[in-house]
């Protein structure tokens, strides 16, 4: 059995949970999230806790026990505190601005790159070429951050591009003339 799946998810005050017809809905100050519950597990709301249990103790169903518990915990954390990822743009003239619902990025291309984020995900530009992606849904925040990073991945020789804040880029040594 999954050790993660056996732990109950604590529901803080101000968070509403409803479970019906194979769907779980969690709402709080940061919004409302819903997810389909996998048929291999049962989800029960008992007081201020959510308990995830396997329907059958079959080997192929065990993997969903901890997964559903973690997904539900991420929903609760998302509607209370939210999630964020920070990206750093490294390069001369790199920058980004939010204009309405469209994020404009300048990476040295002939035209700026325009990106409209997923609904419920906010993008802010911080000081010194920082991009902060935040929202209630952890999957959507990670997806938007990955898409922004994919527009200009860090290159291995100078390290220019978009990277996660804590990401370390292994740089390569440039070409040498070969003469001694």
């Amino acid at each position: 059995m999954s050790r993660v799946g056996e732990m109950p998810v604590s529901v803080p005050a101000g968070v509403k949970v409803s479970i019906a017809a194979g769907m779980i809905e969690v709402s709080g100050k940061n919004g409302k999230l819903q997810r389909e519950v996998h048929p291999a597990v049962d989800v029960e709301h008992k007081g201020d806790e959510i308990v995830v249990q396997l329907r059958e103790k079959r080997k192929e169903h065990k993997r969903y026990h901890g997964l559903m518990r973690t997904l539900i915990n991420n929903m609760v954390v998302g509607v209370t505190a939210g999630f964020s990822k920070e990206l750093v743009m490294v390069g001369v003239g790199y920058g980004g601005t939010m204009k309405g619902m469209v994020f404009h990025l300048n990476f040295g291309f002939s035209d700026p790159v325009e990106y409209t984020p997923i609904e419920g995900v906010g993008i802010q530009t911080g000081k010194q070429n920082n991009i902060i992606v935040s929202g209630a849904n952890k999957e959507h925040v990670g997806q938007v951050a990955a898409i922004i990073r994919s527009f200009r991945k860090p290159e291995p020789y100078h390290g220019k591009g978009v990277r996660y804040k804590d990401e370390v880029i292994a740089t390569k040594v440039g070409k040498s003339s070969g003469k001694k």
Side-chain angles (χ1 to χ4, degrees), residues 86-105:
E86 191 168 343
L87 301 166
V88 178
M89 294 181 281
V90 178
V92 177
Y94 287 12
T97 56
M98 194 73 174
K99 295 179 183 173
M101 293 300 296
V102 180
F103 190 52
H104 296 270
L105 296 152

Side-chain angles (χ1 to χ4, degrees), residues 8-10 12 14 26 49 59 80 83 85 91 111-112 114-115 119 124 140 156-158 161:
V9 177
S10 62
V26 180
E49 292 182 336
K59 186 176 181 177
T80 55
F83 294 99
K85 284 201 177 260
D111 294 323
E114 297 179 352
Y115 176 66
E119 188 176 330
Q124 299 173 341
H140 290 171
Y157 293 101
H158 298 102

Side-chain angles (χ1 to χ4, degrees), residues 19-20 28 49 56 63 81 85 93 95 106 115 135 138 149 154 177-178 180:
I19 303 166
E49 292 182 336
E56 300 175 26
R63 67 186 84 167
K85 284 201 177 260
N106 296 317
Y115 176 66
K138 188 174 185 177
R149 183 182 181 276
S177 64
K180 292 188 182 184

Side-chain angles (χ1 to χ4, degrees), residues 37-180:
V37 176
H38 195 276
V41 297
D42 285 325
V43 179
E44 296 178 27
H45 181 66
K46 298 179 180 178
D48 61 345
E49 292 182 336
I50 299 173
V51 179
V52 179
Q53 297 175 342
L54 282 172
R55 288 187 181 186
E56 300 175 26
K57 301 211 187 236
R58 294 175 55 188
K59 186 176 181 177
E60 58 269 13
H61 290 173
K62 288 182 183 180
R63 67 186 84 167
Y64 300 111
H65 192 206
L67 173 68
M68 282 308 302
R69 188 260 178 214
T70 302
L71 292 174
I72 292 169
N73 186 52
N74 286 344
M75 291 170 66
V76 172
V77 171
V79 298
T80 55
F83 294 99
S84 68
K85 284 201 177 260
E86 191 168 343
L87 301 166
V88 178
M89 294 181 281
V90 178
V92 177
Y94 287 12
T97 56
M98 194 73 174
K99 295 179 183 173
M101 293 300 296
V102 180
F103 190 52
H104 296 270
L105 296 152
N106 296 317
F107 292 134
F109 298 132
S110 60
D111 294 323
V113 176
E114 297 179 352
Y115 176 66
T116 305
I118 300 171
E119 188 176 330
V121 177
I123 300 175
Q124 299 173 341
T125 53
K127 54 186 173 186
Q128 294 184 350
N129 294 341
N130 289 352
I131 301 171
I132 301 167
V133 181
S134 59
N137 191 329
K138 188 174 185 177
E139 293 174 50
H140 290 171
V141 169
Q143 183 66 37
V144 169
I147 290 171
I148 292 172
R149 183 182 181 276
S150 73
F151 291 138
R152 190 71 161 196
K153 291 182 182 174
E155 55 98 10
Y157 293 101
H158 298 102
K160 295 193 304 187
V162 179
R163 64 177 79 172
Y164 295 108
K165 182 180 178 185
D166 299 330
E167 184 178 8
V168 177
I169 304 299
T171 56
K172 296 179 181 179
V173 178
K175 291 182 179 179
S176 62
S177 64
K179 296 180 182 178
K180 292 188 182 184

Side-chain angles (χ1 to χ4, degrees), residues 4-37:
V4 173
E6 290 181 8
M7 294 186 294
V9 177
S10 62
V11 179
V15 175
K16 295 178 183 173
V17 178
S18 65
I19 303 166
M23 295 289 288
I24 182 166
E25 185 175 288
V26 180
S27 58
K29 67 178 184 176
N30 287 347
K32 181 179 4 175
L33 297 173
Q34 57 182 332
R35 173 174 297 281
E36 187 176 337
V37 176

